[in-house]
Amino acid sequence: MLRRAFVAALLCLFASVGLLQAQQIAFNKVKTRFYKSDKDRRMVDKDAELVFDDAERRLIVRNGDRPLNVGYDDVQKIVFDVSYHMRGGGMSQVVGGMVGAAMASAKVNDYWCYLEYRDKDGSTRKYLLEIDKDNAEAVLEKVKALFPERQMMADYEQYPELDKKMLNDLDSKHDFDNEKQDRPLPVPRADKALVVVVCPSLAARYAGKGIQFKFHANDRVVAVNKWGTYSYAYLDPGEYVVASQSENAGGGKVKLEAGQEYYFFQDTFMGTWKAKTGLSRHSKELVMYELEGTYYSDWKRKSSGDPQSAAAAALRKE
């Protein structure tokens, strides 16, 4: 009798474990992205595991640095956005040499998953995940099923590469400094289009360093960044060719309207002599989250007598 009871108890335990596992879906090809602290605004990426616990109705991120455990009912918004970036990472640095460089230069299209949730004190908190493209479809379908009215996919595409010789302000030179304390934030204006440009850093140690990435709007540079910095400009409404320039250039056409906001990443990749760049448009939520973990770009044209210099200065914050 005791043996039968023991076996029955084991079967119940195994059944309970199996049921629990069936009610939990885990994805381990995930990273969480956040800035180190209020004083150190550099962005870092950490490996994580994303878990949907249907039994307890909780969304869980397992990570030693920035864990998350929030009820389904407290999730307020989820925005998916395509991530265009260089592979980089520790493995390419460990391998080193030409093989490591080839690994780092590979372009990767993963997916950002930005979410807002209600914390215990009633405040709204933000969280950002990057999900491997192999898991992205399954995660997206799960999110759609759980939060049909609270999720969206940002419908933007990366701009193609351009012949940089078409940029009239190609050879402009700029002084640059990182502003770590005074970080003015972009505010929309009724009479102008607001353009916000962020250059994400591949690693925290690169923030504010490296070469300049120039952002062109038609015939002039209106923003300059380095890795881990942001800039913005107010432009007259109209048709524009916008482009990011370094060793190469990437960009395309956009119609800007007064009172509207436009958010861009200057994506960076391995180049021959210096880093290459691409330009991608994204959701306000994603770009502003990244902006919170970057330094303000305090730049100006070197030639003060150049009429372009005065024009560019007028486009900046007042």
Side-chain angles (χ1 to χ4, degrees), residues 56-128:
E56 299 294 330
R57 290 186 52 79
R58 302 194 71 81
L59 187 154
I60 302 166
V61 179
R62 293 172 179 154
N63 170 266
D65 297 278
R66 192 59 62 93
L68 178 67
N69 191 323
V70 59
Y72 287 168
D73 293 337
D74 291 321
V75 175
Q76 298 174 328
K77 178 193 294 186
I78 297 182
V79 180
F80 283 92
D81 212 329
V82 180
S83 166
Y84 305 97
H85 63 92
M86 186 165 70
R87 184 178 299 281
M91 184 55 68
S92 64
Q93 298 173 28
V94 171
V95 175
M98 294 182 65
V99 175
M103 291 172 62
S105 65
K107 295 182 180 180
V108 181
N109 293 356
D110 296 325
Y111 289 83
W112 296 114
C113 178
Y114 165 93
L115 65 93
E116 293 180 0
Y117 64 94
R118 184 172 54 252
D119 207 354
K120 295 178 181 178
D121 61 2
S123 62
T124 297
R125 304 287 185 176
K126 304 172 184 177
Y127 203 91
L128 184 63

Side-chain angles (χ1 to χ4, degrees), residues 170-240:
L170 175 66
D171 297 321
S172 60
K173 306 295 182 182
H174 311 89
D175 291 319
F176 180 95
D177 193 16
N178 299 312
E179 182 52 67
K180 299 180 181 180
Q181 302 301 324
D182 180 18
R183 301 176 62 259
L185 297 179
V187 178
R189 285 175 43 176
D191 61 329
K192 299 284 186 178
L194 170 62
V195 175
V196 180
V197 187
V198 175
C199 184
S201 180
L202 297 174
R205 63 183 177 275
Y206 300 141
K209 300 178 181 178
I211 66 170
Q212 295 180 6
F213 299 91
K214 297 186 283 189
F215 181 85
H216 297 252
N218 283 349
D219 296 331
R220 61 182 180 268
V221 171
V222 300
V224 178
N225 283 313
K226 291 188 177 183
W227 285 312
T229 72
Y230 74 95
S231 187
Y232 60 92
Y234 296 99
L235 303 180
D236 291 328
E239 299 279 351
Y240 285 84

Side-chain angles (χ1 to χ4, degrees), residues 16-48:
S16 298
V17 171
L19 179 61
L20 178 62
Q21 291 177 338
Q23 292 177 319
Q24 288 188 346
I25 302 176
F27 301 92
N28 56 21
K29 291 185 177 181
V30 172
K31 291 182 182 293
T32 180
R33 185 166 175 83
F34 54 93
Y35 57 86
K36 289 187 171 183
S37 68
D38 290 336
K39 293 183 178 180
D40 187 347
R41 308 198 71 85
R42 295 177 298 169
M43 280 286 191
V44 294
D45 298 295
K46 298 293 183 179
D47 291 333

Side-chain angles (χ1 to χ4, degrees), residues 9 87 153 225 291 304:
R87 184 178 299 281
M153 172 68 79
N225 283 313
L291 185 150
S304 59

